[in-house]
Amino acid sequence: MRERLEEKLVNEAGIFSTVFESVEQGILLFKVIRDSSNQIIDFEYILVNRWAELLLGNTRTYLIGKRQLEEYPYLKDVGVFDSQVKVIETGESIKTDFYYGFQGLNKWYKNGMIKISETELIVTFDDITKQKEADIELENLQSIILQSQALGKIGSYEWNFVTRKLTLSPEMIEILCSGTIKNIDAITLETHPFEEFIHPDDREKADQTIKKAIFDHQPYDIEYKILCPGNLIKYVWSRGKVFYNNQGKPIKIISTVLDISEWKRSKHEIQKKEILLTLAEGMANLGSYEFDIENKSAIWSDQLFRIYGYEPNEFEPKEDNLFMMVHPEDKDYIKELFTETVFHEDEFEYEFKFMRKDSSPGVSYGKARVIRNENNQIIKITGFVQDITEKVKILEQL
């Protein structure tokens, strides 16, 4: 019986030794060192496994019998020693991450501490530097993204179909006028995650877009309106993608949302001004133009085409098209005006006879403005032309 018991103990010791040496994690067994007043003052190395040797850069032959704080004194500064003392005194195990930037190590460690007895402590640890650096880099990247979102008024959200969790970025919450989703349980595969914030006119369109994206396995983009308290309307453009599991079932949707309200309102204002300008030009029988000297291109208003008897954009306006409309008697005058005068004047007026598309004659009055760059080179000429044919006829009859 005694022989079998001894054999079993030997086998168990062999198994422990194999596990102790083969595990890819540092394992240390410490003896608790106390002073005359029974206060813990240090820990002495009793066992050191192979992986711990690699992580610490010291052999077990060297470490065993040595005291921990004598070899790594800064463990007290980073709080590891105090945690070890706490484990012995309370019996509660502790897991912690710490950075040891001393003695040439400069590494992050994941540390586990377990009380074996009043006199023994076992410590497991591993090098997690790469993981920590990746986490820090990710945090920095997320911070940059959040700052960029705030500057660009771009929000983002993630809706997990499985966990039914909706995650909104800070800027997304701002776009939603700081509102909260009240009825998450009502969100389905066929509804937009924050349908309740979408303007009633756009809800069906938003829902259909999400539904189509899910079932077609395709990214989506959509423009819709957000209705905020006080009937404040925001215009947004959103682009998103649905993610699926191995069985092809949708698991989540991730989307970015851009607040385009200012651009939309500016666009409306520009369109409004263009309409008013067109009406004013028609009433005054006046057309406008812009010659881009650098790119050798020109822009004519619709009314300028009509003055010469053409439909708007009937041909591509070019710098020399104006000369084509000029009556033969005034061609030399106009050419000199736009090739000589422009170099000496910032603004100038002119009057010339022209020929319409149907060959009927007319008379026009024009005013031009010369635009120069910082080197005083002419880059553009803008102006207007007014049809004064009837006015001239009246004056001739007086």
Side-chain angles (χ1 to χ4, degrees):
M1 175 69 77
R2 182 178 179 182
E3 291 177 355
R4 288 181 182 179
L5 183 59
E6 289 177 349
E7 183 179 352
K8 185 178 180 180
L9 291 173
V10 170
N11 290 336
E12 288 180 351
I15 293 171
F16 171 77
S17 178
T18 301
V19 173
F20 185 73
E21 290 300 326
S22 61
V23 67
E24 292 188 350
Q25 186 178 44
I27 302 177
L28 303 170
L29 180 61
F30 288 105
K31 175 185 175 183
V32 180
I33 305 298
R34 300 176 184 270
D35 60 14
S36 57
S37 61
N38 206 36
Q39 296 295 312
I40 299 175
I41 59 172
D42 211 334
F43 294 89
E44 181 182 317
Y45 292 97
I46 299 175
L47 289 176
V48 179
N49 77 339
R50 178 183 61 86
W51 201 254
E53 288 182 301
L54 296 173
L55 293 174
L56 295 175
N58 270 321
T59 65
R60 69 188 75 186
T61 304
Y62 173 80
L63 288 173
I64 291 175
K66 298 286 197 312
R67 292 189 177 186
Q68 180 182 239
L69 291 182
E70 290 178 356
E71 298 302 317
Y72 302 101
Y74 298 103
L75 286 175
K76 199 163 188 176
D77 295 337
V78 298
V80 171
F81 176 77
D82 290 339
S83 295
Q84 292 174 332
V85 171
K86 184 178 179 181
V87 170
I88 294 296
E89 291 178 345
T90 65
E92 296 180 3
S93 300
I94 289 179
K95 289 184 178 180
T96 183
D97 296 349
F98 70 95
Y99 178 72
Y100 195 82
F102 311 96
Q103 298 172 273
L105 291 176
N106 301 317
K107 294 182 182 293
W108 278 93
Y109 295 97
K110 180 178 286 295
N111 217 359
M113 309 169 197
I114 303 171
K115 179 180 178 180
I116 302 298
S117 67
E118 291 297 327
T119 60
E120 291 180 318
L121 174 75
I122 192 166
V123 172
T124 61
F125 67 107
D126 203 358
D127 183 351
I128 57 169
T129 305
K130 289 184 178 180
Q131 177 186 331
K132 274 290 183 181
E133 289 175 347
D135 290 343
I136 292 171
E137 186 175 346
L138 180 60
E139 288 177 5
N140 291 337
L141 180 60
Q142 289 174 335
S143 175
I144 292 171
I145 290 173
L146 291 175
Q147 291 178 38
S148 299
Q149 287 186 345
L151 290 171
K153 293 190 175 181
I154 302 173
S156 60
Y157 70 87
E158 177 180 320
W159 168 239
N160 191 303
F161 302 118
V162 180
T163 62
R164 304 197 62 76
K165 181 181 179 182
L166 179 62
T167 305
L168 307 176
S169 72
E171 190 60 31
M172 188 69 249
I173 295 173
E174 181 68 23
I175 290 174
L176 295 178
C177 304
S178 301
T180 56
I181 310 299
K182 298 177 182 177
N183 197 5
I184 290 182
D185 291 336
I187 303 175
T188 69
L189 293 179
E190 299 184 357
T191 58
H192 195 285
F194 40 87
E195 181 190 56
E196 60 190 274
F197 286 92
I198 298 176
H199 194 285
D201 294 347
D202 292 340
R203 283 177 186 171
E204 184 177 353
K205 177 176 70 172
D207 288 344
Q208 290 299 320
T209 298
I210 295 294
K211 180 179 177 180
K212 189 173 187 301
I214 291 173
F215 291 100
D216 289 352
H217 290 229
Q218 292 292 331
Y220 71 88
D221 60 79
I222 180 177
E223 181 182 318
Y224 54 88
K225 299 185 289 294
I226 296 292
L227 184 60
C228 292
N231 291 322
L232 172 66
I233 294 177
K234 289 186 178 182
Y235 296 87
V236 301
W237 177 83
S238 176
R239 182 173 179 81
K241 182 178 180 180
V242 183
F243 295 82
Y244 306 82
N245 61 18
N246 294 334
Q247 287 75 44
K249 293 183 179 180
I251 56 174
K252 65 180 177 181
I253 184 171
I254 296 178
S255 180
T256 56
V257 179
L258 173 64
D259 185 345
I260 58 172
S261 301
E262 291 183 10
W263 174 81
K264 200 77 174 177
R265 292 188 179 98
S266 297
K267 183 181 178 182
H268 287 167
E269 285 298 315
I270 291 171
Q271 290 174 336
K272 181 180 176 181
K273 289 178 181 178
E274 287 177 345
I275 291 171
L276 292 174
L277 178 61
T278 300
L279 290 172
E281 286 186 345
M283 292 174 65
N285 204 9
L286 177 149
S288 58
Y289 61 85
E290 178 180 287
F291 297 145
D292 189 327
I293 307 300
E294 288 184 317
N295 298 314
K296 297 183 179 180
S297 61
I299 299 174
W300 285 17
S301 70
D302 291 350
Q303 189 60 29
L304 187 55
F305 280 98
R306 294 190 183 101
I307 288 174
Y308 295 129
Y310 294 89
E311 290 298 318
N313 299 310
E314 186 173 331
F315 59 86
E316 182 183 357
K318 294 182 180 180
E319 187 178 346
D320 56 358
N321 288 142
L322 178 61
F323 301 131
M324 180 180 69
M325 311 300 173
V326 178
H327 192 284
E329 294 179 6
D330 287 342
K331 280 187 182 289
D332 290 340
Y333 160 67
I334 292 297
K335 284 184 177 179
E336 180 180 352
L337 192 69
F338 281 88
T339 56
E340 298 294 334
T341 305
V342 292
F343 290 103
H344 308 292
E345 304 288 343
D346 290 333
E347 290 186 352
F348 57 90
E349 300 177 16
Y350 53 91
E351 183 178 313
F352 65 94
K353 296 187 288 294
F354 62 86
M355 301 296 294
R356 298 187 180 89
K357 181 181 179 181
D358 61 6
S359 298
S360 61
V363 182
S364 65
Y365 163 78
K367 188 171 183 177
R369 182 186 178 194
V370 181
I371 300 175
R372 294 177 168 83
N373 61 19
E374 62 276 8
N375 297 319
N376 204 36
Q377 296 173 322
I378 298 174
I379 56 174
K380 286 182 181 180
I381 300 175
T382 63
F384 68 85
V385 173
Q386 184 177 29
D387 186 347
I388 59 171
T389 304
E390 296 303 317
K391 180 180 178 181
V392 171
K393 286 181 180 179
I394 293 172
L395 290 174
E396 288 176 347
Q397 292 174 1
L398 295 177

